[in-house]
Amino acid sequence: MTQPFLNDTPITTASDQVFVDMRREIVEGSIQQGSKISEPELAKRYGVSRATLREALNRLESCYLVERKANVGCRVVALTAERLIEVYQVRSSLEGLACRLAADNMAADEVQGLKQLLNQHLQTQRVKEGESYYQEAGDLDFHYRIIKGSKNAHLIHLLCNELYQLIRMYRVQMGMVGPRVSKAFDEHLAIINAIENHDGELAEMLMKRHISASQANIQTKFDLLNKQTNTLLKAKS
């Protein structure tokens, strides 16, 4: 069954509530990546039955936040450099296409809304100082707005339902700090200008470059973590 878009997720059952709560906690890191899922503990924590919890876990698995492996059980997905490459290859192609389509299909008021959103990010966050650039989910997310602006239902489903949360997990837990912050903001602004000028080819190219730069930024963090881990192992040996 096709899930509703992120902002329209209805909460009508206990399973819906557990799904939404766990999704947020996994993406933001409150539930640690790679951690083993204990159904009895989580059912008790959320005050639901094991059957209700399993329903939520099945939905989390469908958006790649939870994975099941034979003889291992159910675990929260682990963010790895290998998975980053695979996910961002798909992201680059699909979001690039979304940008191209948005340049043709976004109404003038939608483009203005996107500009206002960027201005809001600039005014309410530490973007000016180059300290951080955190975007809330859904309509407060620059990328989400563009994807919806493509007006292509299949593309929206792929990016906003199936892949959005895993991509967002990388962005939230290994996101932008330092010099990358102001550069990313400028890249967002250039993308909006291309969309406003109905230049789909340029918009697509700029989005792909933007995502490539974001991937490189995250990869640098993985490299640093690996270096630190190797140093600790050498110190212990």
Side-chain angles (χ1 to χ4, degrees):
M1 180 181 297
T2 299
Q3 296 178 8
F5 297 145
L6 180 71
N7 277 7
D8 304 324
T9 302
I11 300 177
T12 58
T13 67
S15 177
D16 293 334
Q17 188 65 64
V18 174
F19 168 65
V20 169
D21 289 344
M22 285 192 68
R23 182 179 67 184
R24 182 186 66 253
E25 292 180 54
I26 290 172
V27 168
E28 295 180 354
S30 299
I31 297 178
Q32 190 172 7
Q33 57 169 289
S35 60
K36 185 173 177 58
I37 296 289
S38 169
E39 289 188 9
E41 289 180 11
L42 286 174
K44 182 178 180 181
R45 174 181 173 184
Y46 292 107
V48 296
S49 68
R50 295 275 292 274
T52 297
L53 178 68
R54 287 193 193 105
E55 285 182 39
L57 290 175
N58 287 337
R59 293 172 70 182
L60 290 167
E61 186 177 11
S62 73
C63 54
Y64 307 104
L65 295 183
V66 162
E67 54 189 5
R68 301 176 194 271
K69 293 184 178 179
N71 303 319
V72 176
C74 188
R75 288 185 178 275
V76 175
V77 68
L79 301 182
T80 65
E82 293 75 20
R83 182 173 274 128
L84 170 72
I85 293 171
E86 292 182 354
V87 171
Y88 270 62
Q89 283 175 340
V90 175
R91 182 189 179 193
S92 178
S93 294
L94 294 183
E95 282 202 43
L97 175 59
C99 244
R100 177 184 284 271
L101 294 175
D104 291 331
N105 297 322
M106 283 189 82
D109 63 324
E110 291 177 302
V111 175
Q112 287 306 310
L114 202 51
K115 285 186 173 183
Q116 290 171 8
L117 178 66
L118 265 198
N119 187 59
Q120 179 183 334
H121 289 168
L122 186 63
Q123 299 303 323
T124 60
Q125 299 193 52
R126 296 191 297 276
V127 175
K128 291 179 180 178
E129 294 79 12
E131 293 181 22
S132 68
Y133 190 0
Y134 172 79
Q135 297 182 71
E136 297 287 349
D139 282 337
L140 296 178
D141 179 356
F142 171 83
H143 291 268
Y144 182 87
R145 288 266 194 107
I146 289 177
I147 294 163
K148 294 292 288 290
S150 74
K151 307 298 182 2
N152 183 305
H154 292 287
L155 190 58
I156 293 168
H157 173 72
L158 288 170
L159 284 169
C160 291
N161 290 332
E162 292 194 6
L163 289 173
Y164 184 76
Q165 298 298 337
L166 180 56
I167 291 170
R168 187 167 154 69
M169 192 173 171
Y170 273 104
R171 290 169 62 194
V172 171
Q173 296 191 31
M174 305 191 75
M176 293 175 284
V177 292
R180 177 67 194 141
V181 172
S182 57
K183 288 180 182 178
F185 184 86
D186 290 341
E187 289 163 9
H188 282 179
L189 190 57
I191 290 168
I192 291 178
N193 289 337
I195 290 173
E196 185 175 34
N197 291 329
H198 305 292
D199 191 337
E201 184 176 354
L202 178 60
E204 180 176 20
M205 181 189 70
L206 291 173
M207 178 58 83
K208 286 183 174 181
R209 284 182 179 176
H210 171 66
I211 291 172
S212 177
S214 295
Q215 178 181 338
N217 180 61
I218 296 173
Q219 183 63 56
T220 298
K221 294 186 178 183
F222 274 120
D223 293 342
L224 179 59
L225 287 172
N226 288 336
K227 185 176 180 180
Q228 291 172 341
T229 300
N230 291 335
T231 300
L232 287 173
L233 290 173
K234 287 180 180 179
K236 290 180 181 179
S237 61

